[in-house]
Amino acid sequence: MGFVLAWLPSEHYVRDIFIITLTAAFAATLLSIRFYLRITAGRCFTETKMEGKTVIITGANSGIGKETAKDLAGRGARIIMACRNLETANAVKDEIVKETNNNKILVKKLDLGSQKSVREFAADIVKTEPKIDVLIHNAGMALAFRGQTSEDGVELTMATNHYGPFLLTHLLIDVLKKSAPARIVIVASELYRLSSVNLNKLNPIGTFPAAYLYYVSKFANIYFARELAKRLEGTNVTVNFLHPGMIDSGIWRNVPFPLNLPMMAITKGFFKTTKAGAQTTIYLATSDEVANVSGKYFMDCKEATLNAAALDEEKGLKLWEESVKIVKLTPQEPKI
């Protein structure tokens, strides 16, 4: 009897085996999730060439904007990199030229958080560019806890992610119409589902945490895109918007220590690479499949559905009307 008892596993042994098994199962689950995310990520397979096309990409100096610029330059497009940081943008320009052997890459100053900068950029484009074939609203920013206010007195995340693109589109619309067929591509996000747009607080200074306003701004992008598409019906200028996926990009750089440590682990382990994240933008900018599609939402290079709140046309129209006031459109500036 004593011999049999001696071979029974101890309590510590059973506990250790349980912990090891649980850890292995957890790791296997994480790897399975990562594998699933990789194989289900959309990829743009179109080989459409872009010679003779002029493409404006905001925020093209990093993240998915950089990958989009690189891909379209490889297709022969003339790229205008509209960026806030000119030093970084010029370095990226040199990198793209070297990789693609395409010298038709321009860098121009644009700070979407400044209405003055948006107007200066647009005036330069209208003066120097006879056409715009594709306008890609890619640039975006996210703050962590405490927000900031732009020089125009507008909450900075909303100024950069919504009001700046809204104003820029108005100022360039005549060139886009003249260039038809032309495309407008807007990078939104599935994170809109975590928010709502408060029409009574469209300049949400003081919101805490400020990170929430990133979600709100992406919801505003969707309202803007849908209303814009309606207003451009019959012009042969299409408008589509997308969720790029959760991306391992610079948008998360404002997450403070120590919260950035688990965030870093998540982004590196499960988020898309910037190249993978750029695929739907590239698809909407180049594919013949969407040449006549407008006002639609895409994810992983396929059309996706929106929730009921995002389909509220009355609310989208009200946001449009209030945005006109916030960006201070003058009677002399183009209307849509």
Side-chain angles (χ1 to χ4, degrees):
M1 185 68 176
F3 177 78
V4 173
L5 290 174
W7 280 95
L8 289 176
S10 68
E11 181 181 338
H12 293 299
Y13 177 80
V14 173
R15 183 195 63 193
D16 291 345
I17 290 298
F18 175 76
I19 292 173
I20 292 171
T21 303
L22 189 63
T23 302
F26 182 66
T29 301
L30 292 181
L31 289 172
S32 298
I33 293 172
R34 182 177 183 181
F35 178 70
Y36 173 79
L37 293 173
R38 292 290 188 269
I39 65 173
T40 57
R43 183 179 171 192
C44 178
F45 291 101
T46 176
E47 297 181 356
T48 306
K49 297 300 181 183
M50 298 288 283
E51 285 98 346
K53 304 287 188 182
T54 295
V55 182
I56 296 176
I57 307 172
T58 66
N61 60 330
S62 65
I64 61 176
K66 174 183 174 180
E67 292 297 334
T68 301
K70 189 184 301 182
D71 182 281
L72 299 186
R75 298 168 186 263
R78 180 170 175 271
I79 306 293
I80 298 176
M81 299 173 59
C83 304
R84 183 175 53 185
N85 187 324
L86 294 184
E87 182 179 354
T88 303
N90 279 303
V92 170
K93 169 193 169 182
D94 293 341
E95 178 184 331
I96 293 174
V97 169
K98 184 177 181 180
E99 288 191 25
T100 65
N101 292 317
N102 182 347
N103 293 307
K104 302 186 294 292
I105 316 293
L106 284 74
V107 171
K108 291 182 181 287
K109 174 77 173 181
L110 173 62
D111 178 357
L112 285 165
S114 162
Q115 294 177 19
K116 179 175 181 290
S117 177
V118 172
R119 285 184 164 88
E120 289 174 348
F121 172 83
D124 179 49
I125 293 296
V126 170
K127 181 179 179 181
T128 60
E129 299 298 327
K131 67 171 186 168
I132 304 168
D133 297 283
V134 186
L135 170 61
I136 300 176
H137 287 301
N138 165 82
M141 67 166 295
L143 298 171
F145 294 110
R146 299 200 176 278
Q148 299 177 33
T149 304
S150 76
E151 63 188 39
D152 304 295
V154 180
E155 193 287 320
L156 190 57
T157 302
M158 291 296 292
T160 302
N161 296 358
H162 170 61
Y163 295 116
F166 179 88
L167 176 58
L168 181 60
T169 303
H170 277 78
L171 300 178
L172 296 182
I173 197 61
D174 289 343
V175 182
L176 283 158
K177 287 179 178 178
K178 186 174 64 174
S179 309
R183 304 184 187 194
I184 300 173
V185 179
I186 299 172
V187 179
S189 173
E190 270 288 281
L191 291 173
Y192 85 89
R193 297 179 187 273
L194 303 178
S195 72
S196 63
V197 175
N198 184 351
L199 293 176
N200 296 315
K201 196 175 182 182
L202 290 176
N203 186 15
I205 294 172
T207 298
F208 186 89
Y212 175 72
L213 295 178
Y214 177 78
Y215 312 154
V216 176
S217 70
K218 295 293 105 178
F219 210 146
N221 288 160
I222 292 171
Y223 280 142
F224 168 49
R226 284 174 49 77
E227 180 65 22
L228 179 62
K230 284 172 53 182
R231 291 172 180 246
L232 292 178
E233 286 179 3
T235 65
N236 212 7
V237 178
T238 62
V239 184
N240 290 296
F241 51 108
L242 66 113
H243 170 57
M246 299 303 289
I247 311 298
D248 177 15
S249 72
I251 195 72
W252 309 106
R253 62 181 173 268
N254 290 318
V255 176
F257 180 86
L259 295 180
N260 63 336
L261 298 180
M263 193 68 196
M264 189 181 302
I266 293 170
T267 57
K268 296 299 181 185
F270 300 101
F271 284 17
K272 288 181 179 180
T273 63
T274 51
K275 184 174 182 178
Q279 295 303 300
T280 306
T281 303
I282 296 165
Y283 173 76
L284 292 176
T286 65
S287 178
D288 292 335
E289 294 177 357
V290 293
N292 299 309
V293 175
S294 191
K296 301 301 182 181
Y297 180 49
F298 287 80
M299 187 188 314
D300 288 327
C301 301
K302 301 185 292 290
E303 190 174 335
T305 58
L306 296 165
N307 66 19
L311 299 175
D312 188 336
E313 295 186 359
E314 184 177 345
K315 195 169 185 179
L317 175 59
K318 184 63 176 177
L319 173 63
W320 182 288
E321 292 171 344
E322 293 302 313
S323 296
V324 167
K325 300 174 186 176
I326 289 174
V327 302
K328 302 180 181 68
L329 272 177
T330 69
Q332 293 74 36
E333 291 175 328
K335 303 295 184 295
I336 301 175

